[in-house]
Amino acid sequence: MVGNRLNKETAHQILMAVDDPELAGVSIVDLGMIDQVDVTSSGEIFVRLIPTFTGCPALDFIERQVVQVLKQQGFTRIDVAFSFDIPWSTTRITKKGIASLRQNGIAVPTTPDEDFNWEVNCPYCESLFTSVDNLFGPTACRSILYCHHCKNPFEAMKPIHS
Amino acid sequence: MTIIHTAEEAAKNAEYKNVVTQLLYQLADDDFIVAFRGSEWLGLAPHIEADVAYSSITQNTMGHAAYFYQLLEELGQGPKNKLAHERSANERRNATYLEIKNGDGEYDQDPYYDWALAVIRGFFYETFKRVRLQMLKNCSYVPLTHAANRMLAEQTYHLAYWKMWVNQLQSSSATAKQKLDTRIQEAWNECLDLLQLGDQQEKMIVYQLMPEESLIEKQWIHELSKTLVQVPDRPLQKVFSGRKGEHTKDLEQAIDTLSEVYRLEEHAVW
Ligand SMILES: [Zn+2]
């Protein structure tokens, strides 16, 4: 019987092992990419993921990783899909996610206001004296910034408000 | 108004299904050809930052196209890969202004592309896309309202990027201003079909999928005028009606090129 051991909570923990392939050490759970996890009484598992950006090329890779870790942990009937009906936003990132991103030199900005103003602390020295170098960074979800206090370039998750 | 929640529900009304399908082809094909022309700029943009930004916008725009093709697949139009790559020019419903080549030459042979065209076309299209998505946010087809909400959040960056270029070039040298103006006048002669809805426009209004074309045009020009120093004071024109499947030779070139790559690796994931 798999039903007792493999429930919703264990599934969530299992998914903590899946990192965003472009952000080592940052799990898809902490990035706020999990919409829904359901385990039926017969042990079938449904996972619904929220992509950060629609054009993110890592989605297929993430899907395969999720299937793989669930298989390794004993799930046999696995249904993974992306739900595009919920917009992802930077507010979905967990506290732990923010901390692990900082360790990667990536800051998480404040949620933009109506006029699209937002602030970001330097991930190295905490200074707010930062500016955007290029809104477009190495991936769709990241921007490149510069800290005028410690003179370091750094990245930030692109602020998204929805 | 009747809200349609799923593709299965849409299928119960053949007319509704047909109208929403026609609209989705316009949305998908516009983003697809814009992303294709964008991809031809890879490595050729004026500097490295522009190259990074433009390719990021292009990749995300291709993601939007793929998502619209996915919605078409759900409506029974066939696999999304085929919809994107295997349809001929006269089956495409993108606006013709979006398909025009980036300039003289070819990508792999003396590409004398014009950045002023990229800037004006990027700015005109993304401004239009935002107006259209804002209208779709409240349309009768729920899967489309979800897509619109998600894309609006992402697309903010695409539009902001081209606005920045327009602003900087408008306050730059006389040559820059003149190059921009040439492309603005060209767009004014060609891009009316971008704002049009094709044969099913009346039904699109009846089924509350899109408002009248005149409203789309008004909103679009209003948005342009917030950035452009001077909006042409004459009626918009068009050469072809892309929404009705009329296209230029340039679209055939685009389809030949992209399907050549596609045929090499038909089952690749994109
Ligand atoms: Zn710093």
Side-chain angles (χ1 to χ4, degrees), chain B residues 123-173:
Chain B
F123 171 60
F124 276 26
Y125 177 64
E126 298 295 355
T127 302
F128 163 71
K129 181 167 168 174
R130 193 150 195 88
V131 166
R132 179 163 65 180
L133 288 174
Q134 257 148 2
M135 291 167 168
L136 289 171
K137 221 167 71 167
N138 303 309
C139 80
S140 63
Y141 193 52
V142 174
L144 207 36
T145 64
H146 291 154
N149 277 321
R150 167 170 267 276
M151 290 176 193
L152 277 168
E154 300 175 359
Q155 191 259 359
T156 308
Y157 291 101
H158 307 183
L159 179 56
Y161 185 73
W162 295 120
K163 261 189 195 169
M164 176 199 76
W165 270 102
V166 172
N167 281 327
Q168 287 185 359
L169 292 176
Q170 274 184 156
S171 51
S172 174
S173 68

Short mmCIF file of all heavy atoms in Angstrom, two decimals, chain B residues 123-173:
data_model
loop_
_atom_site.label_atom_id
_atom_site.label_comp_id
_atom_site.label_asym_id
_atom_site.label_seq_id
_atom_site.Cartn_x
_atom_site.Cartn_y
_atom_site.Cartn_z
N PHE B 123 8.03 48.88 -30.74
CA PHE B 123 7.22 49.81 -29.94
C PHE B 123 5.76 49.78 -30.38
O PHE B 123 4.84 49.71 -29.56
CB PHE B 123 7.82 51.22 -30.06
CG PHE B 123 6.95 52.29 -29.46
CD1 PHE B 123 6.61 52.26 -28.11
CD2 PHE B 123 6.48 53.33 -30.25
CE1 PHE B 123 5.79 53.26 -27.56
CE2 PHE B 123 5.66 54.32 -29.71
CZ PHE B 123 5.32 54.28 -28.36
N PHE B 124 5.52 49.84 -31.69
CA PHE B 124 4.14 49.83 -32.20
C PHE B 124 3.44 48.52 -31.84
O PHE B 124 2.30 48.51 -31.40
CB PHE B 124 4.12 50.02 -33.73
CG PHE B 124 4.18 51.46 -34.15
CD1 PHE B 124 4.75 52.43 -33.34
CD2 PHE B 124 3.65 51.88 -35.38
CE1 PHE B 124 4.81 53.77 -33.72
CE2 PHE B 124 3.69 53.22 -35.77
CZ PHE B 124 4.28 54.16 -34.95
N TYR B 125 4.13 47.41 -32.03
CA TYR B 125 3.49 46.12 -31.77
C TYR B 125 3.23 45.90 -30.27
O TYR B 125 2.14 45.51 -29.88
CB TYR B 125 4.33 44.95 -32.32
CG TYR B 125 3.66 43.63 -31.97
CD1 TYR B 125 2.40 43.32 -32.51
CD2 TYR B 125 4.23 42.73 -31.08
CE1 TYR B 125 1.74 42.14 -32.16
CE2 TYR B 125 3.59 41.55 -30.73
CZ TYR B 125 2.34 41.26 -31.28
OH TYR B 125 1.69 40.10 -30.92
N GLU B 126 4.22 46.16 -29.44
CA GLU B 126 4.04 45.90 -28.00
C GLU B 126 2.99 46.85 -27.40
O GLU B 126 2.27 46.47 -26.48
CB GLU B 126 5.37 46.01 -27.25
CG GLU B 126 6.44 45.00 -27.67
CD GLU B 126 6.09 43.53 -27.37
OE1 GLU B 126 5.05 43.25 -26.73
OE2 GLU B 126 6.89 42.66 -27.78
N THR B 127 2.90 48.06 -27.94
CA THR B 127 1.84 48.97 -27.48
C THR B 127 0.48 48.39 -27.84
O THR B 127 -0.44 48.35 -27.02
CB THR B 127 2.02 50.37 -28.13
OG1 THR B 127 3.31 50.88 -27.79
CG2 THR B 127 0.96 51.35 -27.64
N PHE B 128 0.38 47.91 -29.08
CA PHE B 128 -0.87 47.28 -29.52
C PHE B 128 -1.17 46.02 -28.70
O PHE B 128 -2.30 45.80 -28.26
CB PHE B 128 -0.77 46.93 -31.01
CG PHE B 128 -1.81 45.94 -31.45
CD1 PHE B 128 -3.15 46.29 -31.55
CD2 PHE B 128 -1.45 44.62 -31.74
CE1 PHE B 128 -4.11 45.37 -31.93
CE2 PHE B 128 -2.40 43.70 -32.12
CZ PHE B 128 -3.73 44.07 -32.22
N LYS B 129 -0.14 45.22 -28.48
CA LYS B 129 -0.34 43.96 -27.75
C LYS B 129 -0.90 44.25 -26.36
O LYS B 129 -1.77 43.54 -25.87
CB LYS B 129 0.99 43.20 -27.67
CG LYS B 129 0.89 41.86 -26.94
CD LYS B 129 2.14 41.02 -27.16
CE LYS B 129 2.18 39.82 -26.23
NZ LYS B 129 3.29 38.90 -26.50
N ARG B 130 -0.39 45.30 -25.74
CA ARG B 130 -0.85 45.64 -24.39
C ARG B 130 -2.33 46.09 -24.42
O ARG B 130 -3.12 45.67 -23.57
CB ARG B 130 0.02 46.76 -23.81
CG ARG B 130 -0.18 46.94 -22.35
CD ARG B 130 1.02 47.44 -21.59
NE ARG B 130 0.79 47.24 -20.17
CZ ARG B 130 1.08 46.12 -19.51
NH1 ARG B 130 1.67 45.12 -20.13
NH2 ARG B 130 0.80 46.01 -18.23
N VAL B 131 -2.68 46.91 -25.40
CA VAL B 131 -4.07 47.35 -25.54
C VAL B 131 -4.97 46.13 -25.74
O VAL B 131 -6.01 45.97 -25.10
CB VAL B 131 -4.21 48.33 -26.75
CG1 VAL B 131 -5.68 48.53 -27.13
CG2 VAL B 131 -3.55 49.67 -26.43
N ARG B 132 -4.55 45.22 -26.61
CA ARG B 132 -5.35 44.04 -26.91
C ARG B 132 -5.47 43.13 -25.70
O ARG B 132 -6.57 42.65 -25.38
CB ARG B 132 -4.73 43.28 -28.10
CG ARG B 132 -5.50 42.01 -28.47
CD ARG B 132 -5.14 41.50 -29.86
NE ARG B 132 -3.75 41.07 -29.96
CZ ARG B 132 -3.20 40.59 -31.08
NH1 ARG B 132 -3.92 40.51 -32.19
NH2 ARG B 132 -1.95 40.23 -31.12
N LEU B 133 -4.37 42.89 -25.00
CA LEU B 133 -4.43 42.01 -23.81
C LEU B 133 -5.32 42.61 -22.73
O LEU B 133 -6.03 41.90 -22.02
CB LEU B 133 -3.03 41.76 -23.25
CG LEU B 133 -2.11 40.84 -24.07
CD1 LEU B 133 -0.70 40.81 -23.46
CD2 LEU B 133 -2.66 39.42 -24.17
N GLN B 134 -5.28 43.95 -22.61
CA GLN B 134 -6.14 44.58 -21.61
C GLN B 134 -7.62 44.38 -21.94
O GLN B 134 -8.45 44.25 -21.06
CB GLN B 134 -5.80 46.06 -21.45
CG GLN B 134 -4.99 46.29 -20.18
CD GLN B 134 -3.99 47.42 -20.28
OE1 GLN B 134 -3.89 48.09 -21.31
NE2 GLN B 134 -3.23 47.63 -19.22
N MET B 135 -7.91 44.37 -23.24
CA MET B 135 -9.29 44.11 -23.66
C MET B 135 -9.66 42.64 -23.41
O MET B 135 -10.76 42.32 -22.97
CB MET B 135 -9.46 44.47 -25.13
CG MET B 135 -9.38 45.97 -25.36
SD MET B 135 -9.21 46.43 -27.08
CE MET B 135 -9.51 48.22 -26.95
N LEU B 136 -8.71 41.75 -23.68
CA LEU B 136 -8.98 40.30 -23.53
C LEU B 136 -9.11 39.88 -22.06
O LEU B 136 -9.70 38.84 -21.77
CB LEU B 136 -7.85 39.50 -24.18
CG LEU B 136 -7.81 39.54 -25.71
CD1 LEU B 136 -6.52 38.90 -26.23
CD2 LEU B 136 -9.02 38.85 -26.32
N LYS B 137 -8.57 40.68 -21.18
CA LYS B 137 -8.64 40.39 -19.75
C LYS B 137 -10.09 40.19 -19.29
O LYS B 137 -10.35 39.45 -18.36
CB LYS B 137 -8.05 41.59 -19.00
CG LYS B 137 -7.18 41.26 -17.86
CD LYS B 137 -6.39 42.48 -17.41
CE LYS B 137 -7.29 43.51 -16.73
NZ LYS B 137 -6.52 44.56 -16.03
N ASN B 138 -10.99 40.86 -19.97
CA ASN B 138 -12.41 40.78 -19.58
C ASN B 138 -13.28 40.12 -20.65
O ASN B 138 -14.49 40.33 -20.68
CB ASN B 138 -12.94 42.19 -19.31
CG ASN B 138 -12.14 42.90 -18.25
OD1 ASN B 138 -11.91 42.34 -17.17
ND2 ASN B 138 -11.67 44.10 -18.55
N CYS B 139 -12.69 39.33 -21.53
CA CYS B 139 -13.47 38.74 -22.62
C CYS B 139 -14.26 37.53 -22.12
O CYS B 139 -14.11 37.09 -20.97
CB CYS B 139 -12.57 38.38 -23.80
SG CYS B 139 -11.68 36.83 -23.59
N SER B 140 -15.08 36.95 -23.00
CA SER B 140 -15.99 35.88 -22.57
C SER B 140 -15.33 34.50 -22.48
O SER B 140 -15.90 33.57 -21.93
CB SER B 140 -17.18 35.80 -23.54
OG SER B 140 -16.72 35.45 -24.83
N TYR B 141 -14.12 34.35 -23.04
CA TYR B 141 -13.46 33.04 -23.03
C TYR B 141 -12.43 32.99 -21.89
O TYR B 141 -11.36 33.60 -21.97
CB TYR B 141 -12.80 32.78 -24.39
CG TYR B 141 -12.36 31.35 -24.60
CD1 TYR B 141 -13.24 30.29 -24.40
CD2 TYR B 141 -11.06 31.06 -25.02
CE1 TYR B 141 -12.84 28.97 -24.59
CE2 TYR B 141 -10.65 29.75 -25.23
CZ TYR B 141 -11.55 28.71 -25.00
OH TYR B 141 -11.15 27.41 -25.20
N VAL B 142 -12.75 32.26 -20.84
CA VAL B 142 -11.94 32.28 -19.62
C VAL B 142 -10.46 31.89 -19.84
O VAL B 142 -9.57 32.56 -19.32
CB VAL B 142 -12.61 31.43 -18.51
CG1 VAL B 142 -11.72 31.32 -17.29
CG2 VAL B 142 -13.95 32.06 -18.12
N PRO B 143 -10.17 30.82 -20.64
CA PRO B 143 -8.75 30.50 -20.84
C PRO B 143 -7.96 31.69 -21.41
O PRO B 143 -6.78 31.88 -21.11
CB PRO B 143 -8.79 29.35 -21.86
CG PRO B 143 -10.12 28.70 -21.63
CD PRO B 143 -11.06 29.83 -21.29
N LEU B 144 -8.64 32.50 -22.20
CA LEU B 144 -8.00 33.67 -22.80
C LEU B 144 -7.81 34.79 -21.76
O LEU B 144 -6.81 35.52 -21.79
CB LEU B 144 -8.86 34.16 -23.97
CG LEU B 144 -8.22 34.92 -25.13
CD1 LEU B 144 -6.84 34.43 -25.47
CD2 LEU B 144 -9.14 34.85 -26.34
N THR B 145 -8.73 34.92 -20.82
CA THR B 145 -8.56 35.93 -19.76
C THR B 145 -7.36 35.58 -18.88
O THR B 145 -6.58 36.44 -18.49
CB THR B 145 -9.81 36.06 -18.86
OG1 THR B 145 -10.02 34.84 -18.16
CG2 THR B 145 -11.05 36.38 -19.67
N HIS B 146 -7.18 34.28 -18.61
CA HIS B 146 -6.02 33.86 -17.82
C HIS B 146 -4.72 34.15 -18.56
O HIS B 146 -3.76 34.65 -17.98
CB HIS B 146 -6.11 32.36 -17.51
CG HIS B 146 -7.21 32.03 -16.56
ND1 HIS B 146 -7.82 30.80 -16.53
CD2 HIS B 146 -7.82 32.76 -15.60
CE1 HIS B 146 -8.75 30.80 -15.59
NE2 HIS B 146 -8.78 31.98 -15.01
N ALA B 147 -4.72 33.81 -19.83
CA ALA B 147 -3.52 34.07 -20.64
C ALA B 147 -3.20 35.56 -20.63
O ALA B 147 -2.05 35.96 -20.48
CB ALA B 147 -3.73 33.59 -22.08
N ALA B 148 -4.24 36.39 -20.78
CA ALA B 148 -4.04 37.84 -20.85
C ALA B 148 -3.43 38.36 -19.55
O ALA B 148 -2.47 39.14 -19.57
CB ALA B 148 -5.35 38.54 -21.15
N ASN B 149 -3.94 37.92 -18.42
CA ASN B 149 -3.41 38.38 -17.12
C ASN B 149 -1.94 38.04 -16.96
O ASN B 149 -1.13 38.86 -16.54
CB ASN B 149 -4.20 37.73 -15.97
CG ASN B 149 -5.48 38.50 -15.70
OD1 ASN B 149 -5.48 39.72 -15.76
ND2 ASN B 149 -6.55 37.79 -15.44
N ARG B 150 -1.61 36.81 -17.29
CA ARG B 150 -0.23 36.36 -17.16
C ARG B 150 0.69 37.13 -18.12
O ARG B 150 1.75 37.62 -17.73
CB ARG B 150 -0.18 34.86 -17.45
CG ARG B 150 1.19 34.29 -17.66
CD ARG B 150 1.15 32.80 -17.68
NE ARG B 150 1.38 32.26 -16.37
CZ ARG B 150 2.60 32.07 -15.85
NH1 ARG B 150 3.67 32.38 -16.54
NH2 ARG B 150 2.75 31.59 -14.65
N MET B 151 0.25 37.27 -19.36
CA MET B 151 1.10 37.93 -20.35
C MET B 151 1.26 39.42 -20.07
O MET B 151 2.32 39.99 -20.32
CB MET B 151 0.54 37.70 -21.75
CG MET B 151 0.71 36.26 -22.19
SD MET B 151 -0.07 35.97 -23.78
CE MET B 151 -0.05 34.17 -23.83
N LEU B 152 0.22 40.06 -19.54
CA LEU B 152 0.33 41.48 -19.23
C LEU B 152 1.44 41.73 -18.21
O LEU B 152 2.21 42.68 -18.33
CB LEU B 152 -1.00 42.01 -18.68
CG LEU B 152 -2.05 42.40 -19.72
CD1 LEU B 152 -3.41 42.63 -19.06
CD2 LEU B 152 -1.62 43.64 -20.50
N ALA B 153 1.52 40.84 -17.20
CA ALA B 153 2.55 41.00 -16.18
C ALA B 153 3.94 40.89 -16.81
O ALA B 153 4.85 41.66 -16.47
CB ALA B 153 2.37 39.94 -15.09
N GLU B 154 4.10 39.98 -17.75
CA GLU B 154 5.42 39.76 -18.36
C GLU B 154 5.75 40.81 -19.42
O GLU B 154 6.88 41.24 -19.57
CB GLU B 154 5.46 38.37 -19.00
CG GLU B 154 5.23 37.26 -18.00
CD GLU B 154 5.14 35.90 -18.65
OE1 GLU B 154 5.25 35.79 -19.90
OE2 GLU B 154 4.97 34.92 -17.92
N GLN B 155 4.72 41.18 -20.15
CA GLN B 155 4.91 42.02 -21.33
C GLN B 155 5.28 43.46 -20.98
O GLN B 155 5.84 44.18 -21.80
CB GLN B 155 3.65 41.96 -22.19
CG GLN B 155 3.75 42.54 -23.57
CD GLN B 155 3.12 43.92 -23.65
OE1 GLN B 155 2.60 44.44 -22.66
NE2 GLN B 155 3.17 44.52 -24.83
N THR B 156 4.99 43.88 -19.75
CA THR B 156 5.38 45.21 -19.27
C THR B 156 6.83 45.51 -19.67
O THR B 156 7.16 46.61 -20.09
CB THR B 156 5.31 45.25 -17.72
OG1 THR B 156 4.03 44.80 -17.34
CG2 THR B 156 5.55 46.64 -17.18
N TYR B 157 7.68 44.48 -19.52
CA TYR B 157 9.11 44.66 -19.80
C TYR B 157 9.40 44.83 -21.28
O TYR B 157 10.32 45.54 -21.66
CB TYR B 157 9.90 43.47 -19.25
CG TYR B 157 9.91 43.46 -17.76
CD1 TYR B 157 9.06 42.63 -17.04
CD2 TYR B 157 10.74 44.33 -17.07
CE1 TYR B 157 9.07 42.65 -15.66
CE2 TYR B 157 10.75 44.36 -15.69
CZ TYR B 157 9.91 43.51 -14.99
OH TYR B 157 9.90 43.54 -13.63
N HIS B 158 8.65 44.14 -22.11
CA HIS B 158 8.88 44.25 -23.55
C HIS B 158 8.59 45.69 -23.99
O HIS B 158 9.38 46.32 -24.69
CB HIS B 158 7.98 43.30 -24.34
CG HIS B 158 8.05 41.87 -23.90
ND1 HIS B 158 7.35 40.87 -24.55
CD2 HIS B 158 8.72 41.25 -22.91
CE1 HIS B 158 7.59 39.71 -23.95
NE2 HIS B 158 8.42 39.92 -22.96
N LEU B 159 7.44 46.17 -23.56
CA LEU B 159 7.03 47.52 -23.96
C LEU B 159 7.97 48.57 -23.39
O LEU B 159 8.40 49.49 -24.10
CB LEU B 159 5.58 47.78 -23.52
CG LEU B 159 5.01 49.15 -23.85
CD1 LEU B 159 5.10 49.46 -25.34
CD2 LEU B 159 3.54 49.24 -23.39
N ALA B 160 8.33 48.43 -22.10
CA ALA B 160 9.22 49.41 -21.47
C ALA B 160 10.55 49.51 -22.23
O ALA B 160 11.11 50.59 -22.39
CB ALA B 160 9.48 49.02 -20.02
N TYR B 161 11.00 48.37 -22.74
CA TYR B 161 12.27 48.35 -23.43
C TYR B 161 12.22 49.18 -24.72
O TYR B 161 13.09 50.02 -24.98
CB TYR B 161 12.69 46.91 -23.75
CG TYR B 161 14.06 46.86 -24.36
CD1 TYR B 161 15.18 47.10 -23.58
CD2 TYR B 161 14.23 46.64 -25.72
CE1 TYR B 161 16.44 47.11 -24.13
CE2 TYR B 161 15.50 46.64 -26.28
CZ TYR B 161 16.61 46.87 -25.49
OH TYR B 161 17.85 46.90 -26.05
N TRP B 162 11.21 48.95 -25.52
CA TRP B 162 11.13 49.69 -26.79
C TRP B 162 10.82 51.16 -26.57
O TRP B 162 11.31 52.03 -27.31
CB TRP B 162 10.11 49.04 -27.73
CG TRP B 162 10.53 47.66 -28.15
CD1 TRP B 162 9.87 46.50 -27.92
CD2 TRP B 162 11.75 47.31 -28.85
NE1 TRP B 162 10.58 45.43 -28.43
CE2 TRP B 162 11.73 45.90 -29.00
CE3 TRP B 162 12.84 48.03 -29.34
CZ2 TRP B 162 12.77 45.22 -29.64
CZ3 TRP B 162 13.88 47.34 -29.98
CH2 TRP B 162 13.83 45.96 -30.12
N LYS B 163 10.05 51.46 -25.53
CA LYS B 163 9.78 52.86 -25.19
C LYS B 163 11.08 53.59 -24.88
O LYS B 163 11.28 54.73 -25.27
CB LYS B 163 8.89 52.93 -23.94
CG LYS B 163 7.44 53.15 -24.25
CD LYS B 163 6.69 53.42 -22.95
CE LYS B 163 5.20 53.28 -23.20
NZ LYS B 163 4.43 53.28 -21.95
N MET B 164 11.96 52.91 -24.14
CA MET B 164 13.23 53.52 -23.78
C MET B 164 14.03 53.89 -25.04
O MET B 164 14.56 54.98 -25.15
CB MET B 164 14.02 52.54 -22.91
CG MET B 164 15.41 53.04 -22.54
SD MET B 164 16.45 51.66 -22.02
CE MET B 164 16.84 50.89 -23.59
N TRP B 165 14.04 52.98 -26.01
CA TRP B 165 14.75 53.26 -27.26
C TRP B 165 14.13 54.43 -28.01
O TRP B 165 14.84 55.30 -28.53
CB TRP B 165 14.76 52.01 -28.17
CG TRP B 165 15.95 51.13 -27.92
CD1 TRP B 165 15.96 49.97 -27.21
CD2 TRP B 165 17.30 51.34 -28.36
NE1 TRP B 165 17.23 49.44 -27.19
CE2 TRP B 165 18.08 50.26 -27.89
CE3 TRP B 165 17.93 52.34 -29.11
CZ2 TRP B 165 19.44 50.14 -28.15
CZ3 TRP B 165 19.29 52.23 -29.36
CH2 TRP B 165 20.04 51.15 -28.89
N VAL B 166 12.80 54.44 -28.09
CA VAL B 166 12.13 55.54 -28.81
C VAL B 166 12.48 56.86 -28.12
O VAL B 166 12.88 57.83 -28.78
CB VAL B 166 10.60 55.33 -28.86
CG1 VAL B 166 9.91 56.57 -29.42
CG2 VAL B 166 10.26 54.11 -29.71
N ASN B 167 12.36 56.90 -26.80
CA ASN B 167 12.66 58.13 -26.06
C ASN B 167 14.08 58.60 -26.29
O ASN B 167 14.32 59.79 -26.53
CB ASN B 167 12.43 57.92 -24.56
CG ASN B 167 10.95 58.00 -24.22
OD1 ASN B 167 10.21 58.76 -24.85
ND2 ASN B 167 10.51 57.21 -23.26
N GLN B 168 15.02 57.67 -26.24
CA GLN B 168 16.41 58.08 -26.40
C GLN B 168 16.72 58.54 -27.82
O GLN B 168 17.40 59.54 -28.02
CB GLN B 168 17.35 56.94 -25.99
CG GLN B 168 17.35 56.76 -24.47
CD GLN B 168 18.35 55.73 -24.00
OE1 GLN B 168 19.05 55.11 -24.82
NE2 GLN B 168 18.41 55.52 -22.70
N LEU B 169 16.19 57.83 -28.81
CA LEU B 169 16.48 58.20 -30.20
C LEU B 169 15.77 59.50 -30.61
O LEU B 169 16.30 60.27 -31.40
CB LEU B 169 16.13 57.06 -31.16
CG LEU B 169 17.02 55.81 -31.03
CD1 LEU B 169 16.54 54.70 -31.95
CD2 LEU B 169 18.49 56.15 -31.34
N GLN B 170 14.60 59.71 -30.02
CA GLN B 170 13.86 60.94 -30.34
C GLN B 170 14.59 62.20 -29.87
O GLN B 170 14.42 63.26 -30.43
CB GLN B 170 12.49 60.94 -29.64
CG GLN B 170 11.42 60.22 -30.43
CD GLN B 170 10.06 60.31 -29.77
OE1 GLN B 170 9.06 60.19 -30.44
NE2 GLN B 170 10.01 60.51 -28.46
N SER B 171 15.40 62.04 -28.80
CA SER B 171 16.13 63.21 -28.31
C SER B 171 17.60 63.13 -28.69
O SER B 171 18.47 63.72 -28.07
CB SER B 171 15.98 63.32 -26.80
OG SER B 171 16.30 62.09 -26.20
N SER B 172 17.88 62.37 -29.75
CA SER B 172 19.26 62.18 -30.19
C SER B 172 19.57 63.03 -31.43
O SER B 172 18.98 64.09 -31.62
CB SER B 172 19.46 60.69 -30.46
OG SER B 172 20.71 60.43 -31.01
N SER B 173 20.46 62.55 -32.29
CA SER B 173 20.89 63.32 -33.46
C SER B 173 19.81 63.48 -34.52
O SER B 173 18.80 62.78 -34.49
CB SER B 173 22.09 62.61 -34.10
OG SER B 173 21.65 61.38 -34.66
#
